Amino acid sequence: MLGELLRNGRLEKGYKTLELARLTKIDGALISKFENGQRKPTLSQLQLLAQLFDLDFAVLHVQWIKEKILSDFGSDATTLLALQEIIEEFSSEPMAKHDPNIDFVLAEIEKLKAKLQGNS
């Protein structure tokens, strides 16, 4: 879960929520909502937090996308079909094989597919 990754990153760096709020100019209550899953950071906020916590932005970004897909589209058969089509499109593109993050992203999509299949 994205919130857990952010909370763990903050704690590992020793930041208190209010200290992080002052440093990032992100409201402390909003940071708490990011961590408890009530809100999602913007991509620029996510990048900033990843940098401050020395976290891999690609990992956070994939989790952000997974949670956005589930919250925006749910776990129905149409969502699963759309994800399958995305995988097929990426798998057939020659450039995809050269991107070092594509295997990670495709693995995360497969995990999401498995979760959606279990819920449909």
Side-chain angles (χ1 to χ4, degrees), residues 4-115:
E4 291 173 11
L5 293 172
L6 294 174
R7 178 181 298 115
N8 291 341
R10 178 179 60 79
L11 294 174
E12 285 181 20
K13 289 296 180 179
Y15 290 115
K16 297 202 181 303
T17 304
L18 292 177
E19 177 186 14
L20 184 60
R22 283 190 298 273
L23 184 64
T24 61
K25 297 184 175 35
I26 301 171
D27 184 71
L30 191 55
I31 291 171
S32 292
K33 289 180 180 182
F34 295 163
E35 292 181 0
N36 67 30
Q38 291 178 330
R39 294 278 304 268
K40 299 286 180 259
T42 64
L43 285 181
S44 61
Q45 291 169 331
L46 192 64
Q47 287 176 316
L48 175 61
L49 294 171
Q51 288 174 345
L52 285 174
F53 302 156
D54 292 321
L55 297 173
D56 185 343
F57 176 72
V59 171
L60 295 177
H61 193 197
V62 168
Q63 187 64 35
W64 184 88
I65 291 169
K66 283 173 44 178
E67 291 180 15
K68 186 157 184 59
I69 289 169
L70 287 172
S71 70
D72 289 358
F73 301 104
S75 58
D76 62 19
T78 305
T79 303
L80 180 57
L81 180 61
L83 290 170
Q84 287 172 329
E85 288 185 15
I86 290 170
I87 291 170
E88 289 170 9
E89 286 177 28
F90 272 104
S91 297
S92 65
E93 290 182 15
M95 288 295 290
K97 306 241 186 288
H98 295 75
D99 185 341
N101 293 317
I102 197 67
D103 290 336
F104 174 74
V105 172
L106 289 176
E108 290 299 313
I109 289 173
E110 288 296 330
K111 287 179 192 174
L112 184 56
K113 265 180 44 181
K115 182 176 182 177

